[in-house]
Amino acid sequence: QRPARSSCSAAMRQARVLRAGGGMADKMFPGYKDKIWAALPQSVKESQVKGANNAFENGIAQHKSWQGYLLSFKEVEKSFVPSQKFRKPAVDWRRQMERGTMHYGRWYEGPNGSDYRPGNTHDRLLDVKEPFTHEEWEERKNYRSFDLMKFGYMCLGIFLAYRVTNEWPVVWCDERKEK
């Protein structure tokens, strides 16, 4: 007389039958998995069911932990949106055409109303020291994103720190002749 089975083992036994694939051993010995499952002690069956459930729940817990990290990274991503203060103060030609603000000029039209005809020219080399007025320069500073001098000083500082902190091997060559 067999002891009464719990509903857990009955569900697992049914799941085993539904999961039975078309492997070679199943074709040679039909229902062998069910016979092995029926022969196992109740404690082994319960531990197998608990192990399968724990594996499933561990996956969910791992997903929840990763989701916390990813959501925090998404919050950081919001700070990477470009600032309107430093946007490019220009409109591309397609948008100008759509808005009706496109100025169709000629390639030879120059600065200050010059078109490079004799008597209507503008010499760009007259003011080589200051190509921009003070107001233009102050406005251009708003759109500068990096200072080349600071970058150069930083590279020089890294190089000097590298040279100072590293040990350099000294190789002594013995030029004496052996006797």
Side-chain angles (χ1 to χ4, degrees):
Q1 191 64 249
R2 287 188 188 171
R5 294 189 176 144
S6 67
S7 61
C8 179
S9 65
M12 192 64 171
R13 192 164 33 104
Q14 183 65 25
R16 294 277 181 176
V17 171
L18 293 176
R19 287 184 4 176
M24 180 64 77
D26 195 40
K27 290 182 177 152
M28 290 173 58
F29 312 107
Y32 79 98
K33 291 182 182 179
D34 295 331
K35 292 174 186 172
I36 292 173
W37 184 255
L40 289 175
Q42 186 65 26
S43 62
V44 173
K45 292 179 187 177
E46 288 175 0
S47 69
Q48 292 243 338
V49 170
K50 284 180 186 175
N53 289 342
N54 287 341
F56 178 74
E57 290 173 3
N58 284 342
I60 292 174
Q62 184 181 15
H63 171 73
K64 284 183 179 179
S65 69
W66 276 106
Q67 187 178 20
Y69 289 122
L70 293 176
L71 288 177
S72 68
F73 289 147
K74 286 293 182 185
E75 289 295 322
V76 171
E77 276 182 3
K78 290 179 184 175
S79 67
F80 293 147
V81 174
S83 172
Q84 286 295 316
K85 179 181 176 186
F86 300 105
R87 69 182 177 85
K88 180 181 171 188
V91 180
D92 61 328
W93 62 274
R94 287 189 188 272
R95 285 193 177 89
Q96 287 181 12
M97 288 176 67
E98 291 298 323
R99 294 174 181 166
T101 59
M102 182 76 173
H103 172 69
Y104 296 95
R106 291 175 286 282
W107 61 270
Y108 53 83
E109 288 181 342
N112 300 326
S114 69
D115 57 4
Y116 301 111
R117 289 181 298 177
N120 192 14
T121 60
H122 174 75
D123 190 4
R124 297 181 189 186
L125 298 177
L126 289 177
D127 192 10
V128 179
K129 302 281 187 207
E130 285 191 35
F132 305 107
T133 64
H134 184 67
E135 293 81 20
E136 289 174 335
W137 186 244
E138 289 301 320
E139 188 201 348
R140 287 177 65 87
K141 282 183 184 177
N142 291 335
Y143 302 105
R144 183 171 57 185
S145 62
F146 204 76
D147 191 0
L148 197 56
M149 286 299 290
K150 290 179 184 172
F151 177 74
Y153 286 137
M154 182 180 69
C155 290
L156 179 65
I158 290 172
F159 174 73
L160 292 176
Y162 172 76
R163 291 300 301 255
V164 168
T165 58
N166 280 333
E167 294 181 6
W168 299 93
V170 178
V171 179
W172 297 97
C173 298
D174 190 10
E175 297 178 0
R176 292 179 291 179
K177 293 187 178 190
E178 295 182 16
K179 293 181 183 176

